[in-house]
Amino acid sequence: MKIPISPSDLQAARERITGTIHRTPILHSTAIDEMVGASVYFKCENFQKVGAFKARGALNTVLSLPQKVARNGVATHSSGNHGQAVAWAAAQRGIKAFVVMPENAPEVKKKAVAGYGAKIILCESTLEGRERALEKVCKETGAHFIHPYNDDRVIAGQASCAAEFYEDQNLDALLVPVGGGGLLSGSLLTTDYAEKETDVYGCEPEMADDAFRSLRAGKIIPQTNPQTIADGLRTSLGDRTFPIIHTLVKDIITCSESEIMSAMRIIYERLKIVIEPSCAVPLASLLNGSIPKQYDRIGIIITGGNVDLNKLPFS
Amino acid sequence: MKIPISPSDLQAARERITGTIHRTPILHSTAIDEMVGASVYFKCENFQKVGAFKARGALNTVLSLPQKVARNGVATHSSGNHGQAVAWAAAQRGIKAFVVMPENAPEVKKKAVAGYGAKIILCESTLEGRERALEKVCKETGAHFIHPYNDDRVIAGQASCAAEFYEDQNLDALLVPVGGGGLLSGSLLTTDYAEKETDVYGCEPEMADDAFRSLRAGKIIPQTNPQTIADGLRTSLGDRTFPIIHTLVKDIITCSESEIMSAMRIIYERLKIVIEPSCAVPLASLLNGSIPKQYDRIGIIITGGNVDLNKLPFS
């Protein structure tokens, strides 16, 4: 396949966002190394602006808009990190943001989006309701829609995370959670263009294994009604992310819900960081033996830390 | 008063432990700065070896023992971070450690101590029971007792934390939680010997305000039966720490239990780190208005992250 995102796209994205996003730290734990039998490095995007890697792709997209487009603002629908990221990124450029959120979204999420100065448009909590509300706001305001992952500019922004990771640490394998596949696609492009020998894996809950099934089928198999605790990974691959993943990924591996919760506890106890359940999926996939034992230095991207503290799965 | 710990003691301690302890990172949050109205920097000792600053003092003491003393091992009584720190420090030197713990100590704490190769001696859960068991083990084995805070070598080790902090960040005020006063004493000595203009405050729960009362009375007033959630701060000052604190501290300030829990949530949500309740006391004392509004750059030492995840005060 011909990949429509070039090395210079990645380079331009990185230059656009560096200095505004955080260069996030890499953490490491002797105890986790012993459990795994290899050195494991965690790139902590939970410490990123808005508490998630999503700040990268949203900012790259907002900063790359022509002035004529940007002046009408940007819009998205999201009850999660992407909504905050678009709101934050728009504020960095000083343009308007419109975020469509379901009526039943948690107050804390609405507050966070409003805190960046975005306008919230409440909608019915269905895919149809969200899309209708988004279309309406874009039509009325002229705002430019930014998709959470199925967008080359977003993918190019997410790619900067792996680039930083490789600069700070040599890795034999890189494990990336996969939901819509924006971060995984970007990580794969960074790895390929830098001619790294690193094997890149996508990690996914068994209960939302559309990427696993899509890879094996050779076509997108959408996720229907996923029930996983890893709420950031319930989405399906898109037509911009699937071809990149299909061409470049080493494999997609999965783990169970109890493995996710157990890995989440290990990360809280050993790394002392607050993470969303989605971030625990790569470590769970490593501890359940799905990854071949051949790697000495393994990198994991910790994708975000915006978890509801009232609903932590520890008891 | 004549302070019995010299600048060269602090320097020697730092040289002894550097390279074995972690140089912990400093975190910062725009959202917290806005709440406080100043720049607040958090020195993250929850990322320290054994998950707490206690690794510093224990390691300095273990490494400074003459070979004749060290060969019989070291001993302490602790159900908390100091027990783990002594066990870990002894393992670094390759000597034995004996840790007296109450029978009803949580399994996870016993496991952590045993994991470093220390021998655990269970005792009745009373001060008398602990002291009797400790005396017995020291007599039988010749092990050298390391007090959690009332020991100049321990204080000199804890002093290294503030030294690193000042190297990385200029501060107008430094806020340190105070239980037995080892970390506060060490921080005060570092500040004074480096001739910093920084005002150093001790921060304490209202429900365990022995340092607050001792400072005002000009003598040690022991804590009786404290009930605070900040379990690391229930201890009383000792005769090695009180004189240093009395001479050098700017003030001791206090906060309520609900202020501690609220600040703890802010740190989890905004800094995305796992901390013990004790660590939230300085931010709570800052947010309740007890600290004068005159400081632009405020440092807080996050003392440890060994919290029982099953008992987090979020609901």
Side-chain angles (χ1 to χ4, degrees), chain A residues 22 25 27-28 30 46-47 49 51 108 116 265 268-269 271-274 305-310 312 314-315, chain B residues 22 25 27-28 30 46-47 49 51 108 265 268-274 305-310 312 314-315:
Chain A
H22 288 308
L27 292 181
H28 178 251
T30 311
N46 57 326
F47 296 146
K49 288 284 179 184
V108 58
Y116 296 115
R265 178 181 273 270
Y268 273 67
E269 285 184 346
L271 291 183
K272 314 291 185 193
I273 58 174
V274 172
N306 294 327
V307 69
D308 185 344
L309 294 177
N310 297 345
L312 291 173
F314 309 128
S315 64
Chain B
H22 288 308
L27 292 181
H28 178 251
T30 312
N46 57 326
F47 296 146
K49 289 283 179 185
V108 58
R265 178 182 273 270
Y268 273 67
E269 285 184 347
R270 297 300 182 160
L271 292 182
K272 314 291 184 192
I273 58 174
V274 172
N306 295 326
V307 69
D308 184 345
L309 294 177
N310 297 344
L312 290 173
F314 309 127
S315 64

Side-chain angles (χ1 to χ4, degrees), chain B residues 258-276:
Chain B
S258 68
E259 287 163 354
I260 296 171
M261 283 185 269
S262 161
M264 188 173 171
R265 178 182 273 270
I266 290 169
I267 290 173
Y268 273 67
E269 285 184 347
R270 297 300 182 160
L271 292 182
K272 314 291 184 192
I273 58 174
V274 172
I275 60 162
E276 301 166 22

